[in-house]
Amino acid sequence: MPSNDTSTGWRIAFSAVVVVAALALIAALVATGLWLTERGKAASIRADRASATELDTAYRDFATDVMTHLMTIRQETLDEDVDRIVGLIEGDFSEQFTPRRDSYEEVVKSTKVIADGVVSAAAVEKSYPDHADVIMAIDQTIGNPKATEDQERQYRVRVTVNRHDDGEMKVSGVNFIP
């Protein structure tokens, strides 16, 4: 018959092994939890960066569209073109442009000016969830029946685009950069 001391020794050794195994299991579970949390954070950061890039692209594309419409003048579609521009602007820019709409249209009609505007480069300068500033280079060719040659003009502008809660975007500022 085994002695009591040996039996007690085995119980202590077995208990020690169980405690070590339990601690190892807890450590493994904690490490796995931390790893999954960090992995989730990294995925969230990647998703945020991707959505910020998509938002910047949307800001840039919207500003490009508005400025192309603004810098392109066609006699036959002038009223519709100006209506489209008025629908895409707000704030200070709208307060400056909209009241002068009639005089703008009259000058364009009386001079029979035709213009083609092309955004040659555009980049988001600053971006936030609700607005962005987009820097642009615009090339414009202006034709006038009184002139013998078309005129080429280049502009650099900063366009402020606002994004509303429903996702709709509007231009609230166009500032020419010297």
Side-chain angles (χ1 to χ4, degrees), residues 55 58-59 62 84-90 129-131 161-172:
L55 185 56
Y59 282 135
F62 183 77
R84 181 181 309 127
I85 292 165
V86 168
L88 297 172
I89 63 176
E90 67 182 7
D130 63 342
H131 71 282
V161 178
N162 294 336
R163 182 174 165 267
H164 299 278
D165 290 340
D166 62 359
E168 181 182 30
M169 292 187 182
K170 301 262 185 166
V171 169
S172 63

Side-chain angles (χ1 to χ4, degrees), residues 118-136:
V118 176
V119 174
S120 56
V124 173
E125 179 183 34
K126 290 185 259 176
S127 176
Y128 305 94
D130 63 342
H131 71 282
D133 288 331
V134 181
I135 301 290
M136 310 181 110

Side-chain angles (χ1 to χ4, degrees), residues 8 35 52 63 71 83 85 90 102 107 109-110 123 159 169 174:
T8 304
W35 178 76
M71 303 303 271
D83 285 343
I85 292 165
E90 67 182 7
D102 293 338
V107 168
K109 287 177 185 176
S110 67
V159 179
M169 292 187 182
V174 175

Side-chain angles (χ1 to χ4, degrees), residues 77-139:
T77 59
L78 182 61
D79 292 335
E80 296 85 10
D81 294 343
V82 173
D83 285 343
R84 181 181 309 127
I85 292 165
V86 168
L88 297 172
I89 63 176
E90 67 182 7
D92 290 342
F93 188 47
S94 180
E95 290 170 12
Q96 293 171 9
F97 185 83
T98 304
R100 294 175 181 85
R101 173 194 176 135
D102 293 338
S103 60
Y104 169 79
E105 289 179 17
E106 186 55 41
V107 168
V108 169
K109 287 177 185 176
S110 67
T111 60
K112 297 183 171 101
V113 168
I114 299 172
D116 288 308
V118 176
V119 174
S120 56
V124 173
E125 179 183 34
K126 290 185 259 176
S127 176
Y128 305 94
D130 63 342
H131 71 282
D133 288 331
V134 181
I135 301 290
M136 310 181 110
I138 302 170
D139 299 324

